Amino acid sequence: MKITKIRFGMLRVPLKTPFKTALRTVTAVEDIVVCVHTDTGHVGYGEAPATAVITGDTHGSIIDAIDKFIAPRVIGQEVANLNRITGLIQGALERNTSAKAAVEIAVYDLFGQLYGVPLYKALGGGDPLITTDITISVDYIEKMVADSIDAVERGFESLKIKVGKDIGVDIERVKAIHAAVEGRALLRLDANQGWTAKQAVHAIGLLEDAGVQLELVEQPVKARDLDGMKYVTERVHTPIMADESVFGPTEVIELIQMRAADIINIKLMKTGGLSNAIRIADIAALHGVECMIGCMLESSISVAAAVHLAVAKADAITKVDLDGPSLCAFNPVDGGVIFNESEISVTDAAGLGIREIRGLEPL
């Protein structure tokens, strides 16, 4: 099976409700879909969101990076030579992690198809059933409480609460949600870099003193402020998770050596795809550090790849934040991973198992 060409499409899927964080507000998934074709007629699918505020990637940069730098390297390559192909993708250009991830996901999809097994089995196997949390967007307190109650009633047992806009209001938001769902759901806070180190210690300390038990707090300070991350981690009881602070394996090693966080959030759009995500999971496992698998605003195309990874690397990936498909108004994918609210299951279909993508606009 040899790669012959790469084609692009635009996927637009409205969200059920606006996605609001300390960094941005989004109303729809608008992602680049990558279709990698082969001489056997098999097609591998990948996806990349334009998350400029985090990865720096835009729709235009994703297409240009693939078309001008990555595609010329991988066209003509045998899919069986997976490690060689991922090396070519990663070495094609600096950064551009979402573009690299989209192509890698498609190639891994083809690798599974080549050998007739679902991707998670090609990665080592595992239990093909996981559960995810769901995001509660930043909003006025009554709305966030109502959204939290609704999520719990739909079967979600972990809530990821977006904060970081106004620290005083943030504390009241969390207290109100805790009071509404206590004993029915775990609470995870995501400040999206919205606090200073001292603010984070103050806010988390107040919540701890008020009896609010948090499973974790994600990225409380600016991405590059590793000293700030370490400052917070050392001064609170609640586990601190790094997200925007860690993209690749070398950053994970540095973070672990500094003891600047308790948990690592792996996202394929930060790591540049599955190859580096696997390395991060293995590094974390060696050091006894837990990982979460997360996603940007993505549909079930690329999130499916993250699901397969989570299944295969369950020793390191102990927490799941793959709610992108649950936030979408509909699932544009026929086949592949099955997303049923908090429950995510993997079929025995080869690769990612995607048969069709509805509403894809050719580019």
Side-chain angles (χ1 to χ4, degrees), residues 74-132:
V74 302
I75 289 174
Q77 295 294 322
E78 291 284 352
V79 172
N81 296 329
L82 180 63
N83 289 341
R84 172 175 170 77
I85 295 175
T86 59
L88 291 171
I89 292 169
Q90 296 303 320
L93 72 171
E94 290 295 314
R95 299 181 179 85
N96 290 275
T97 52
S98 299
K100 292 175 180 177
V103 180
E104 270 210 7
I105 289 168
V107 172
Y108 272 89
D109 182 12
L110 288 170
F111 188 74
Q113 292 181 49
L114 174 64
Y115 294 105
V117 296
L119 180 56
Y120 80 90
K121 288 187 178 179
L123 297 177
D127 182 359
L129 180 65
I130 60 176
T131 57
T132 181

Side-chain angles (χ1 to χ4, degrees), residues 328-345:
C328 291
F330 62 89
N331 184 1
V333 175
D334 180 24
V337 170
I338 299 169
F339 295 89
N340 181 24
E341 297 287 22
S342 64
E343 187 176 278
I344 305 174
S345 55

Side-chain angles (χ1 to χ4, degrees), residues 241-242 246 248-257 259 261-266 271 275-293 309 313-319:
M241 182 168 71
V246 287
T250 55
E251 292 158 319
V252 169
I253 292 170
E254 181 182 8
L255 192 94
I256 290 173
Q257 289 175 336
R259 300 183 184 274
D262 302 296
I263 308 167
I264 305 296
N265 193 347
I266 301 172
T271 63
S275 62
N276 276 331
I278 291 167
R279 292 186 180 99
I280 289 172
D282 289 342
I283 291 167
L286 284 170
H287 289 84
V289 175
E290 287 185 84
C291 292
M292 173 186 279
I293 185 74
L309 176 66
K313 291 293 181 181
D315 59 330
I317 299 173
T318 59
K319 305 178 191 302

Side-chain angles (χ1 to χ4, degrees), residues 184 244 246 271 285 358:
R184 294 191 290 165
E244 292 93 340
V246 287
T271 63
R358 294 179 290 274

Side-chain angles (χ1 to χ4, degrees), residues 136-280:
I136 307 299
S137 288
V138 171
D139 217 313
Y140 56 89
I141 294 175
E142 292 80 2
K143 177 69 164 56
M144 293 182 73
V145 169
D147 288 346
S148 299
I149 294 171
D150 176 67
V152 170
E153 290 176 348
R154 287 159 53 196
F156 288 94
E157 297 179 349
S158 296
L159 307 180
K160 184 176 180 178
I161 304 166
K162 293 290 187 179
V163 293
K165 284 281 191 180
D166 180 311
I167 197 161
V169 179
D170 285 341
I171 292 169
E172 296 308 312
R173 287 177 174 124
V174 177
K175 285 182 178 178
I177 292 170
H178 178 261
V181 303
E182 184 178 5
R184 294 191 290 165
L186 297 173
L187 302 186
R188 302 166 174 174
L189 301 193
D190 185 2
N192 284 115
Q193 310 177 60
W195 296 335
T196 66
K198 287 187 176 182
Q199 284 176 332
V201 171
H202 175 67
I204 298 168
L206 287 176
L207 290 169
E208 290 175 345
D209 291 343
V212 177
Q213 292 187 334
L214 302 174
E215 185 184 10
L216 59 88
V217 175
E218 181 175 356
Q219 199 62 48
V221 304
K222 295 297 182 183
R224 296 183 181 180
D225 187 9
L226 294 188
D227 288 332
M229 288 288 290
K230 181 179 175 65
Y231 180 93
V232 178
T233 301
E234 290 178 338
R235 287 165 174 78
V236 299
H237 297 293
T238 302
I240 301 299
M241 182 168 71
D243 180 12
E244 292 93 340
S245 287
V246 287
F247 273 54
T250 55
E251 292 158 319
V252 169
I253 292 170
E254 181 182 8
L255 192 94
I256 290 173
Q257 289 175 336
M258 287 183 63
R259 300 183 184 274
D262 302 296
I263 308 167
I264 305 296
N265 193 347
I266 301 172
K267 292 179 180 175
L268 300 185
M269 298 303 142
K270 294 188 304 173
T271 63
L274 287 152
S275 62
N276 276 331
I278 291 167
R279 292 186 180 99
I280 289 172

